[in-house]
């Protein structure tokens, strides 16, 4: 499923990931649970790979906790990989680390020790997945499947030319093929998307097309067949629209807020709340929905014309 009208809710990563991970851009209460906490509280292994030299899992929500509480409680992650992407060969420790020729916004290919940065990311994911989801060829005693919730931030699309992203194609295709061939896609939801579209370069700065591209990032989701069937049956029994909700949502206005509730449904499955389900991507969102109804500020709505 691809959401063609998926709409970001803010200029940059900050607002969009808070909407996605917290369900709120400006959490007003202390100890707001990040989405991975819902998974971890239910026995999932949680992990994140941050290829931009940052600890976004903490930065987006850690200030809502006492530092020690966040570090040692179940609000942090089980696994987190970011240190290699902070090496000076990748993230300069002198001068501007966000320049055009070095760092996570570079317009040239990002490499570390002769390999693309994303190759190191996929190596780590492969090893972690094999640890959590042993393969049939392994001895019976070694097979202990543990459910996981893994998020990955890749930065190849975060530069002004749109060319660096092409270096990711082969590695991403191989990763998806491995997920399929291993059987993991039979019980795993795979989401590939951007928190926002391109907001660097002349196209964004000077054209209406560039503004819309920024507000309308790519979003695609693969769901197991049994979950696809469940969503269709739920829709048929609880909504006047009989088409499949995932198909309907492809052309309906959706945001990171719906993604947050999609995560909530998955974390709490099968005892999810009906409210979360109806606010998720598994349920057909309102036809003709406005930006105001979706929680998108009037000044940031891609439906607005100048």
């Amino acid at each position: 499923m691809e959401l063609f009208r998926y709409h970001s809710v803010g200029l940059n990563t900050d607002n969009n990931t808070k909407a996605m991970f917290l369900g709120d851009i400006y959490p007003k209460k202390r100890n707001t649970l990040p989405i991975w906490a819902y998974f971890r509280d239910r026995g999932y292994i949680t992990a994140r790979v941050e290829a931009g030299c940052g600890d976004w899992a903490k930065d987006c929500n850690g200030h809502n906790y006492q530092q020690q509480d966040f570090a040692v409680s179940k609000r942090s992650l089980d696994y987190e990989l970011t240190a290699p992407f902070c090496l000076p060969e990748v993230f300069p420790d002198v001068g501007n680390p966000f320049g055009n020729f070095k760092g996570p916004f570079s317009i040239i290919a990002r490499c570390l020790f002769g390999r693309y940065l994303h190759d190191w990311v996929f190596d780590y994911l492969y090893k972690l997945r094999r640890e959590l989801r042993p393969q049939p060829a392994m001895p019976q005693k070694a097979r202990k499947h543990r459910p996981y919730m893994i998020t990955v931030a890749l930065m190849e699309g975060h530069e002004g030319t749109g060319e660096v992203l092409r270096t990711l194609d082969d590695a991403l295709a191989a990763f998806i093929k491995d997920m399929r061939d291993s059987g993991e896609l039979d019980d795993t939801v795979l989401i590939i998307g951007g928190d926002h579209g391109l907001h660097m370069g002349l196209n964004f700065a000077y054209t209406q097309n560039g503004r819309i591209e920024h507000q309308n990032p790519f979003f695609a989701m693969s769901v197991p067949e049994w979950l696809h069937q469940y969503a269709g049956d739920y829709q048929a029994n609880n909504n006047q629209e009989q088409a499949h909700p995932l198909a309907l949502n492809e052309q309906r206005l959706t945001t990171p807020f719906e993604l947050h509730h999609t995560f909530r449904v998955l974390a709490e499955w099968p005892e999810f709340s009906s409210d979360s389900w109806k606010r998720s991507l598994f349920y057909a969102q309102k036809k003709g929905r406005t930006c105001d109804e979706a929680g998108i500020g009037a000044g940031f709505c891609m439906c607005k014309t100048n």
Side-chain angles (χ1 to χ4, degrees):
M1 174 190 73
E2 181 175 351
L3 299 182
F4 296 98
R5 300 182 186 276
Y6 186 76
H7 200 307
S8 54
V9 294
L11 175 68
N12 54 29
T13 297
D14 191 73
N15 284 8
N16 293 297
T17 51
K18 285 181 178 178
M20 182 191 313
F21 293 152
L22 306 178
D24 193 348
I25 297 175
Y26 304 108
K28 298 178 178 61
K29 63 180 182 179
R30 299 284 296 177
N31 301 344
T32 301
L33 286 180
I35 193 60
W36 49 85
Y38 290 92
F39 284 90
R40 191 172 176 184
D41 288 350
R42 290 158 179 81
Y44 283 74
I45 300 298
T46 59
R48 180 169 175 82
V49 180
E50 187 71 59
C53 185
D55 186 1
W56 198 248
K58 183 177 186 300
D59 290 345
C60 79
N61 192 44
H63 62 280
N64 278 319
Y65 289 83
Q66 294 294 327
Q67 184 172 357
Q68 185 69 8
D69 290 343
F70 186 87
V72 302
S73 73
K74 293 184 178 180
R75 306 307 132 220
S76 55
L77 296 151
D78 295 301
Y79 298 94
E80 191 169 8
L81 179 69
T82 191
F85 312 113
C86 295
L87 291 171
E89 292 87 347
V90 178
F91 195 87
D93 54 3
V94 176
N96 178 19
F98 301 104
N100 283 331
F101 302 101
K102 202 78 170 179
F105 301 167
S106 170
I107 64 173
I108 60 177
R110 296 87 182 268
C111 298
L112 180 63
F113 303 134
R115 303 179 69 200
Y116 290 129
L117 288 188
H118 57 251
D119 287 335
W120 297 104
V121 171
F122 287 120
D123 279 356
Y124 178 81
L125 292 177
Y126 179 86
K127 293 173 182 177
L128 181 59
R129 287 169 45 231
R130 289 300 179 269
E131 176 69 22
L132 301 178
R133 298 287 298 267
Q135 299 305 293
M138 298 181 67
Q140 185 67 36
K141 290 184 179 180
R143 297 183 210 163
K144 183 181 179 182
H145 286 200
R146 288 173 286 177
Y148 61 75
M149 192 270 192
I150 303 174
T151 60
V152 180
L154 296 167
M155 301 295 291
E156 278 77 2
H158 208 297
E159 54 88 24
T161 70
E163 293 295 314
V164 176
L165 191 61
R166 298 170 60 186
T167 67
L168 182 62
D169 288 351
D170 291 343
L172 181 59
F175 172 78
I176 296 172
K177 182 178 183 299
D178 183 65
M179 289 281 292
R180 182 196 66 194
D181 293 348
S182 70
E184 283 177 81
L185 291 183
D186 294 339
D187 65 359
T188 301
V189 174
L190 175 65
I191 296 171
I192 300 174
D195 55 339
H196 57 77
L198 184 64
H199 63 15
M200 303 176 74
L202 297 177
N203 189 42
F204 162 71
Y206 294 107
T207 71
Q208 176 78 354
N209 175 68
R211 184 178 72 84
I212 292 175
E213 182 177 347
H214 169 226
Q215 296 161 330
N216 183 211
F218 176 79
F219 186 100
M221 181 169 70
S222 169
V223 302
E225 180 59 35
W226 60 267
L227 181 54
H228 187 276
Q229 181 66 47
Y230 185 96
D233 292 344
Y234 192 104
Q235 180 83 7
N237 294 327
N238 295 275
N239 192 300
Q240 293 181 348
E241 296 185 278
Q242 295 304 301
H244 197 283
L246 297 182
L248 290 171
N249 282 335
E250 286 189 342
Q251 293 293 344
R252 299 207 173 161
L253 185 62
T254 53
T255 72
F257 291 117
E258 282 73 58
L259 179 55
H260 175 81
H261 287 284
T262 302
F263 284 140
R264 287 284 300 269
V265 166
L266 294 172
E268 297 168 357
W269 188 275
E271 299 178 357
F272 55 83
S273 71
S274 61
D275 178 66
S276 283
W277 181 271
K278 291 181 179 179
R279 297 174 69 183
S280 78
L281 297 173
F282 298 127
Y283 193 80
Q285 296 304 307
K286 179 184 174 183
K287 184 178 181 179
R289 192 182 191 201
T290 67
C291 282
D292 183 61
E293 291 171 327
I296 304 164
F300 195 69
C301 180
M302 68 177 173
C303 305
K304 179 182 177 182
T305 57
N306 293 327

